[in-house]
Amino acid sequence: YLKPYYNKKNRIETAFHFFNFLGLHLSMLLVVMLRDALAFLIAWELMSLSSFFLVIFESEKKETLRIGIRYLIQMHIGVALLIVAFIVAFAGSNAPLSFDGLTTYFAAHDPFWLFLLFFAGFGIKAGFIPLHSWLPHAHPAAPSHVSGVMSGVMIKMGIYGILRVLMSVHHDLFGIGLFILIISLISGLIGVSLAIVQHDVKKLLAYHSIENIGIIGIGIGIGLIGLAVNIPVLAVLGFAGGILHILNHSLFKSLLFFTSGNVYKQTHSRNIEQLGGMIKKMPKTALLFLLGALAISGLPPFNGFISEFLIYSGMFKSLHAGGFMTDNVILFSFSGLAIIGGLAVFCFTKVFSIVFLGNPRSYKTDSAVEVENSMLMPGYLIGAMILIIGFAPALFMKPLAEVVSLFTGDGGLILQMAPTLNQISLSSGIFVVMILIFWALRAWKQKNKKVEEGITWGCGYSGADPALHQYTATSYAENFRQLSAKMVNVQKETEPFAELEIFPGERSFETRSGDLFEDHLVSRPTGKLLSFFEKIAVLQTGKIQHYLLYALVFLLVISVLTLLNLI
């Protein structure tokens, strides 16, 4: 993937990139190994720094550099919140400054507010809404292999941190679980909604990372509620689905970023509107992308279905096991998860059909050919794991039960799901065999028939621009955009037609979506702050006598306040 950059970058820049790529992996390993708070925070900071340098690989682009600095600032806000949280726990309990010391603090204090502080620090890395604003910008800016690791693995370090803190919380679980559940439902619904209206394929995948973080959070949230109201099946299957989805998302999201990187390498475009017909030019990449799309949509017989099935099963089995409040929370969560899944299917039918099916929409695809096998091999390995989990999920239940037991005390209920999962595997196998039989019959039937190819019927306009007789990304999502106009905030930019303009001239048409949370919580406040700094910049005259005057005025003010006993 980096070969085209070797002529643009010198050896030191390329070596520095590989150094940070290895540094990111090493720091993530350290994050999940260290228990001492200080050592953990150092590893956490190394992870942020190495990923920052990876994001700004194309630092000659001002926009990439701006995005990288924005990412680094938000990561430092996150680590500052974590430092404050550890200090509060240490000061309130005199326990060791480590994860082990949190148990002592939570046992003697209301855990919600300190957990909220930890959640904010870890949630920035994970990408929960409204702490997500770095994520849709950093992934498109970073090289695709970096995006795959950051989205597939690095953001899960935030989930790991939240789970690690939850291991020390043993009361007020209902309030914490409900909080995580609500934030996760919002993240899932808004994340997938914003993904649908994107044209940049990597930005679309970035918003889907937010959606899947929401699905993971839903599992964790209902698991905590199950512990709080003493419904073991809800607790065990909720945690099981959420934790298994961490692994599943790391697989299919990495696969989707790698395959979209293959397309970018051959077309130099991430804009869905400029692609089309790529399945004929890059059939292996198209097949791998389709595999990832089916898996992320939660469709059987792939791995995403298994983790979501566990969450659904926990909800179904827990209805009427608790009180009125619990039943309503379960029904609300079930509805939200179902809507998220349906919208994910809608989104990836759009992406796959417009990128890989139909006719080319621009010259960008003219010289595209399949990438070399070395770029396809990671996709094959990931695809194999996706299929193994999808067709043989029972193999993963024992190690999953051991992890879940750390939170619930007993993960035995997961092992009881093995017969059901075996039936799913059998059904999946039968389904695949049927597909292969139908495919073989079709191939046999057409063996001696000549297949003719022609242009797609274009309503009488087959010679015109392909955009006139096939769906564009904008038109495909138009109905959804109208239903969710305020949430996705799509803006159209074009010159309107004059009333008497019989023969209109050439025009451009562009749509872009806004992120309400980012606009109101990040862009506007920082814009006002920058405006304030610009106004006081008049004090920076560059003349040394003025700076000496400022110091003298400061000393005079301090002296007067001291004499008046005001300080």
Side-chain angles (χ1 to χ4, degrees):
Y1 180 84
L2 287 180
K3 280 183 179 179
Y5 294 93
Y6 290 165
N7 294 329
K8 302 177 184 178
K9 301 282 185 180
N10 59 45
R11 295 182 64 183
I12 294 177
E13 290 175 309
T14 305
F16 187 63
H17 179 79
F18 288 133
F19 173 81
N20 284 293
F21 196 57
L22 293 173
L24 175 61
H25 286 71
L26 176 61
S27 59
M28 289 191 293
L29 288 171
L30 290 174
V31 161
V32 297
M33 290 168 61
L34 297 170
R35 304 170 72 92
D36 178 75
L38 182 59
F40 171 84
L41 290 170
I42 291 172
W44 189 268
E45 183 66 5
L46 289 173
M47 178 174 63
S48 298
L49 286 173
S50 57
S51 56
F52 162 72
F53 287 118
L54 292 172
V55 167
I56 62 167
F57 177 64
E58 296 184 79
S59 56
E60 64 275 7
K61 299 178 181 178
K62 289 185 178 180
E63 180 64 14
T64 299
L65 198 57
R66 185 187 68 82
I67 289 170
I69 292 172
R70 182 177 183 173
Y71 165 71
L72 188 63
I73 290 171
Q74 294 191 44
M75 292 304 102
H76 278 85
I77 292 173
V79 78
L81 292 171
L82 294 178
I83 291 171
V84 172
F86 275 115
I87 291 173
V88 169
F90 175 74
S93 64
N94 289 323
L97 191 61
S98 68
F99 281 106
D100 296 331
L102 296 180
T103 304
T104 305
Y105 178 89
F106 285 132
H109 299 82
D110 178 6
F112 183 81
W113 297 109
L114 183 61
F115 172 78
L116 192 62
L117 201 57
F118 274 113
F119 183 87
F122 288 122
I124 291 176
K125 182 72 75 176
F128 282 102
I129 287 178
L131 308 171
H132 69 290
S133 60
W134 67 270
L135 204 148
H137 302 284
H139 286 313
S144 294
H145 61 285
V146 174
S147 298
V149 174
M150 287 178 65
S151 180
V153 186
M154 189 194 74
I155 64 173
K156 307 305 186 342
M157 297 299 106
I159 297 293
Y160 164 79
I162 292 170
L163 288 171
R164 190 65 188 265
V165 173
L166 286 175
M167 290 177 66
S168 302
V169 180
H170 301 293
H171 62 280
D172 197 24
L173 295 176
F174 190 89
I176 293 174
L178 189 62
F179 168 77
I180 294 176
L181 183 60
I182 291 171
I183 291 293
S184 300
L185 284 168
I186 292 172
S187 298
L189 289 168
I190 295 181
V192 71
S193 298
L194 288 169
I196 288 172
V197 296
Q198 302 302 319
H199 302 327
D200 185 321
V201 65
K202 289 184 70 177
K203 194 169 186 179
L204 179 148
L205 293 176
Y207 274 115
H208 269 290
S209 293
I210 297 170
E211 172 227 335
N212 280 272
I213 286 294
I215 293 174
I216 294 167
I218 290 171
I220 295 171
I222 66 168
L224 285 172
I225 291 172
L227 287 176
V229 298
N230 195 26
I231 305 179
V233 67
L234 183 64
V236 171
L237 294 183
F239 274 109
I243 291 171
L244 181 59
H245 204 74
I246 294 174
L247 171 62
N248 289 340
H249 180 255
S250 71
L251 294 171
F252 52 65
K253 182 51 65 69
S254 299
L255 179 60
L256 288 168
F257 268 117
F258 293 162
T259 48
S260 64
N262 292 352
V263 174
Y264 176 73
K265 181 176 184 290
Q266 302 303 82
T267 63
H268 304 289
S269 178
R270 301 193 308 261
N271 190 340
I272 298 172
E273 302 283 24
Q274 297 177 347
L275 303 172
M278 295 298 294
I279 194 169
K280 295 179 181 178
K281 297 175 178 291
M282 305 178 68
K284 297 175 183 177
T285 293
L287 184 62
L288 289 172
F289 188 96
L290 179 61
L291 175 61
L294 293 170
I296 197 174
S297 298
L299 297 175
F302 306 104
N303 64 340
F305 169 77
I306 300 300
S307 49
E308 293 187 30
F309 175 78
L310 291 174
I311 298 174
Y312 279 124
S313 297
M315 293 177 182
F316 273 124
K317 294 175 183 291
S318 303
L319 283 174
H320 305 302
F324 177 78
M325 177 69 173
T326 305
D327 285 348
N328 277 281
V329 169
I330 292 173
L331 287 172
F332 185 75
S333 304
F334 177 86
S335 302
L337 187 56
I339 292 171
I340 292 169
L343 291 177
V345 173
F346 176 76
C347 184
F348 277 97
T349 54
K350 168 193 136 175
V351 180
F352 184 80
S353 61
I354 293 176
V355 173
F356 293 100
L357 304 182
N359 296 321
R361 291 167 170 80
S362 75
Y363 68 92
K364 295 280 189 179
T365 64
D366 290 348
S367 59
V369 293
E370 187 60 85
V371 296
E372 52 268 29
N373 288 329
S374 61
M375 290 187 68
L376 293 170
M377 187 55 65
Y380 293 146
L381 296 174
I382 296 171
M385 283 296 297
I386 288 173
L387 293 174
I388 290 171
I389 296 175
F391 283 98
L395 297 176
F396 297 84
M397 292 304 105
K398 186 174 181 180
L400 182 61
E402 293 176 0
V403 177
V404 171
S405 64
L406 298 174
F407 301 92
T408 62
D410 182 16
L413 287 172
I414 300 176
L415 301 179
Q416 296 177 16
M417 292 291 293
T420 303
L421 294 174
N422 287 331
Q423 291 178 2
I424 292 174
S425 300
L426 180 62
S427 301
S428 300
I430 293 172
F431 175 75
V432 171
V433 170
M434 289 176 61
I435 294 292
L436 292 174
I437 291 173
F438 282 124
W439 179 82
L441 288 173
R442 178 180 179 274
W444 174 71
K445 198 72 176 173
Q446 292 186 334
K447 182 173 60 174
N448 298 320
K449 290 187 177 182
K450 182 180 179 181
V451 178
E452 296 183 359
E453 293 186 1
I455 59 174
T456 305
W457 181 67
C459 307
Y461 296 96
S462 56
D465 191 305
L468 295 178
H469 54 79
Q470 60 183 355
Y471 271 114
T472 63
T474 302
S475 61
Y476 194 97
E478 179 63 17
N479 289 336
F480 177 79
R481 185 201 66 80
Q482 293 176 359
L483 290 172
S484 57
K486 291 186 178 180
M487 182 167 61
V488 299
N489 192 25
V490 173
Q491 301 170 353
K492 299 180 180 180
E493 294 184 5
T494 188
E495 182 184 347
F497 294 104
E499 186 175 349
L500 299 178
E501 191 177 3
I502 300 174
F503 300 103
E506 188 174 304
R507 280 175 169 78
S508 63
F509 177 81
E510 185 179 355
T511 62
R512 58 166 58 93
S513 64
D515 188 324
L516 291 177
F517 287 95
E518 182 180 347
D519 293 342
H520 290 85
L521 298 180
V522 179
S523 299
R524 287 189 181 181
T526 53
K528 291 180 179 179
L529 186 63
L530 288 173
S531 178
F532 171 73
F533 285 146
E534 287 174 359
K535 290 178 181 178
I536 65 173
V538 295
L539 299 174
Q540 293 180 304
T541 62
K543 297 181 179 180
I544 191 169
Q545 57 266 37
H546 290 170
Y547 298 143
L548 291 172
L549 178 62
Y550 299 156
L552 180 61
V553 170
F554 175 75
L555 291 173
L556 288 173
V557 170
I558 292 296
S559 300
V560 171
L561 293 175
T562 303
L563 290 172
L564 297 175
N565 291 324
L566 295 178
I567 58 172

